[in-house]
Amino acid sequence: MKQLQEKLLALLLIFILSGATASAQKAEDKVITFRFLPGGEMFILAGNEAELERLYGLIDHHKAEIAKGNMPVYVDGYCASLSTTKENLNMAFARANRVKSELIIRKGLKEADFITANYARVYEDNKDIVVVTLRIPSAKAMSEKTPIKERVKREDPQPKQGCVEQKTETAVEQPSEPSAAEQRPVLVSEQRIRETEQPYRFAVRTNVLYDAFLLPTLGVEWRVNENVGIKLDGSLSWWGGERDKVQKMWLVNPEVRWYLLDKKHFYAGVSGSYGEYNIYKYMLGGIVSKDTGYQGKLWNAGVTLGYQLSLSRSFSLDFNLGLGYTRSEYDSFGMTDGVRVYKKRNESKNFWGPTQAGISLVWTMGSNK
């Protein structure tokens, strides 16, 4: 009987000590939460000042251990206020990056100091939140760690049934000698450059190459998504008179584009054009022929290749070249004593080659992300 009582006391003591250890470990986890407006990804200070100051203090106090890799900063993004899982995950990812950028810019942390995960679900009744956790190790644990090279691995949280989770990083390896690129903090200007590369929703454009040839052009583009765009350009010139130099023409050019590679700067597309013209010696007419005018219509179809160069958040330059088939039906004429004299009537010409060329100034609006 006495031995049984001793065993029960020993088990009770073990249970109490294990519970106390777990409580102590839980108490060492510092959790900071940042709330976001539904549907918004910008990190707004209003309502988050106190938590941000608390996080700054913890980072300052433990910055040496964070730099050694002994104490990674866990950043979890949660979003459940949008209509689809993909939209929620993308929003959670963007918000987590906003918080990370704040710490990188303000406190000089590196990307390797973070372990991030994103979830399309609610966190403790909050649908729009980013949770930052610092698991502060005990003094004994820190003394046993070797700061030379260490792999920090995270225990994956269990999502609720029916929820989908996306992990952007599950482990971080701290190199013994970080490169110069890793040591340099990310600047605000670099963050803005990355924002300019986000796919836009709508754009207004003008082909400055056509404008230079006195063929003013105005166009619009709608980005169906980050990969596909639908563009329509229109050109119109109405210069000169019937008995002298003349350049009267109009042209429409629809196009469907597929944006390629990670940053979506390169694209390929299919396009066509249709228009009518009456040119004689005035700019385009002078380039085609010095003594012959042409009046008729044309159409073409082909493929286009191009590249968009970002200038700022709202402006870019679009370089493109089209190749394909063109058919033109026309009358040719000359001028004698101010009177138009036709040389050939109802002629036609078909050829394979360039169908369009452009250097366009593009004004982008809205975000497709």
Side-chain angles (χ1 to χ4, degrees), residues 7-53:
K7 289 182 179 180
L8 290 174
L9 288 173
L11 289 173
L12 181 61
L13 182 61
I14 291 171
F15 177 76
I16 293 173
L17 290 175
S18 62
T21 302
S23 299
Q25 179 61 41
K26 185 175 181 181
E28 291 173 352
D29 289 351
K30 302 296 183 181
V31 179
I32 299 93
T33 59
F34 298 106
R35 301 177 188 277
F36 287 76
L37 296 176
E41 66 177 58
M42 295 302 296
F43 183 64
I44 301 174
L45 292 180
N48 289 317
E49 301 96 328
E51 289 289 82
L52 188 61
E53 290 301 321

Side-chain angles (χ1 to χ4, degrees), residues 245-247 279-294:
K245 299 177 181 179
V246 62
Q247 179 171 303
I279 56 175
Y280 177 68
K281 290 189 177 182
Y282 204 121
M283 189 57 75
L284 289 176
I287 295 173
V288 173
S289 176
K290 298 299 182 182
D291 59 359
T292 302
Y294 297 90

Side-chain angles (χ1 to χ4, degrees), residues 122-239:
V122 174
Y123 176 84
E124 295 182 355
D125 297 328
N126 293 298
K127 293 184 177 181
D128 300 276
I129 196 167
V130 172
V131 180
V132 179
T133 305
L134 293 177
R135 295 181 177 173
I136 303 171
S138 62
K140 181 180 179 181
M142 287 191 291
S143 64
E144 292 174 353
K145 289 179 181 276
T146 56
I148 298 175
K149 190 173 184 180
E150 176 189 357
R151 186 169 183 81
V152 183
K153 195 167 184 179
R154 177 181 184 182
E155 181 180 351
D156 300 335
Q158 297 297 322
K160 297 179 181 179
Q161 187 175 2
C163 296
V164 179
E165 68 178 63
Q166 169 188 326
K167 293 181 183 174
T168 57
E169 186 178 356
T170 56
V172 174
E173 185 167 343
Q174 181 73 18
S176 57
E177 295 183 1
S179 64
E182 290 176 333
Q183 292 176 340
R184 181 177 58 84
V186 178
L187 302 177
V188 175
S189 60
E190 295 174 334
Q191 297 293 327
R192 290 175 178 170
I193 289 173
R194 283 196 286 270
E195 288 180 359
T196 66
E197 296 176 348
Q198 292 185 1
Y200 50 87
R201 172 66 68 179
F202 187 76
V204 177
R205 52 198 297 116
T206 182
N207 190 334
V208 295
L209 186 61
Y210 285 18
D211 296 341
F213 286 98
L214 301 182
L215 183 60
T217 301
L218 185 65
V220 294
E221 182 186 3
W222 172 49
R223 288 289 284 271
V224 179
N225 52 49
E226 65 177 2
N227 299 313
V228 180
I230 299 174
K231 179 184 75 73
L232 178 64
D233 288 347
S235 305
L236 175 66
S237 64
W238 208 257
W239 318 117

